[in-house]
Amino acid sequence: MTLEQSGKITIQPKIESTWLKALADEFHQPYFLKLKEQLIEEKQKYVVFPPGIKIFSAFNTTPLDKVKVVIIGQDPYHGIGQANGLCFSVSEGIAHPPSLSNIFKELESDLNLPYPESGNLEHWANQGVLLLNSALTVRKGEANSHADIGWNLFTDAVIRILSEKKENLIFLLWGGFAKRKGKIIDRSRHIVLESGHPSPLSANKGHWFGNKHFSKTNFHLVKAGKEPINWQLP
């Protein structure tokens, strides 16, 4: 989505070609046209994250034909400089939020990888890990503020397309929200791994650590004849 230089806000999806073809009908649905109108109003009144050019980063970094793994998040981080369009990921030089820190701790334990300095998960996305938030935008400082403006319908369509058009994907559903979102996945065609959320509230109650989702994902990828993910961040 773009912001015109003239000062007039317009919303035009800029999305990678394989996704654009698969989602073409969604962009013309009444809910999406209304979503665009609401986003224009939001940008006139509030600071909205991530920046417009990064709203579709998950799709632009991981084309539909390259997707092997799907991680479903809830909405972007709402702090300054954090959100970069990939769920759980933060931009270079930004401190790791607690959930991301717990993801990296589980990665250390599961695969004996060093705790990374960068919290930018683009390295995963480039290998076929679709890092999909349910809502693709958020107001500054207000978590879940765009949960009800139509993004859920759009990302449900994304999950449905993945479920119907792809085979042997690995879906990682962390926490109750992702599990509910994942009910539309055809589990006869795909592998679904579930656990608690990596947030401290869940992780400290024993619902996150030890899930070994990273090694299990690679096991299933290799079993399906696919390249495993190199989870170590550069």
Side-chain angles (χ1 to χ4, degrees):
M1 294 189 174
T2 60
L3 180 63
E4 286 190 349
Q5 297 298 319
S6 65
K8 179 183 177 182
I9 297 174
T10 61
I11 304 293
Q12 294 296 334
K14 298 293 185 182
I15 191 169
E16 185 274 334
S17 59
T18 60
W19 281 112
L20 182 61
K21 181 178 179 180
L23 292 165
D25 289 344
E26 295 302 313
F27 293 128
H28 300 288
Q29 294 295 322
Y31 83 85
F32 196 86
L33 299 176
K34 184 178 179 182
L35 185 159
K36 290 201 296 182
E37 292 176 0
Q38 289 182 273
L39 266 184
I40 289 170
E41 293 177 3
E42 286 285 301
K43 284 174 175 283
Q44 290 170 340
K45 297 177 182 178
Y46 307 98
V47 175
V48 174
F49 297 137
I53 197 170
K54 294 185 177 180
I55 290 175
F56 287 106
S57 285
F59 305 93
N60 294 330
T61 312
T62 314
L64 176 58
D65 58 343
K66 304 295 184 184
V67 176
K68 299 191 292 188
V69 181
V70 183
I71 299 177
I72 299 176
Q74 193 156 347
D75 68 338
Y77 296 120
H78 53 81
I80 295 174
Q82 289 182 311
N84 63 6
L86 308 176
C87 74
F88 294 106
S89 176
V90 293
S91 300
E92 300 289 345
I94 299 295
H96 302 170
S99 292
L100 183 59
S101 181
N102 283 338
I103 288 171
F104 289 155
K105 289 175 183 177
E106 176 59 26
L107 193 60
E108 276 187 295
S109 172
D110 185 9
L111 295 176
N112 197 30
L113 294 177
Y115 189 99
E117 181 177 337
S118 172
N120 189 341
L121 304 183
E122 190 172 328
H123 177 63
W124 296 359
N126 284 329
Q127 298 176 76
V129 182
L130 181 67
L131 298 166
L132 179 68
N133 273 317
S134 179
L136 302 189
T137 57
V138 69
R139 286 182 197 166
K140 174 186 173 182
E142 296 184 45
N144 294 321
S145 49
H146 288 179
D148 298 321
I149 69 171
W151 283 126
N152 272 314
L153 295 172
F154 178 76
T155 51
D156 277 351
V158 171
I159 294 170
R160 194 172 294 109
I161 287 168
L162 288 164
S163 179
E164 294 174 357
K165 293 185 178 293
K166 302 283 285 187
E167 298 264 355
N168 294 318
L169 295 181
I170 317 296
F171 287 87
L172 305 184
L173 308 183
W174 299 339
F177 179 86
K179 292 174 187 176
R180 291 190 295 274
K181 188 84 171 169
K183 286 182 178 179
I184 59 178
I185 299 166
D186 183 347
R187 300 185 185 216
S188 69
R189 295 164 59 93
H190 305 285
I191 301 294
V192 178
L193 302 178
E194 299 183 350
S195 80
H197 195 275
S199 68
L201 184 64
S202 175
N204 293 339
K205 292 181 179 179
H207 302 310
W208 165 256
F209 292 115
N211 65 30
K212 298 190 180 298
H213 277 191
F214 304 103
S215 59
K216 288 177 180 178
T217 293
N218 280 351
F219 170 81
H220 288 295
L221 287 173
V222 171
K223 186 177 179 181
K226 301 178 183 180
E227 282 290 319
I229 303 300
N230 175 8
W231 295 105
Q232 184 169 355
L233 297 178

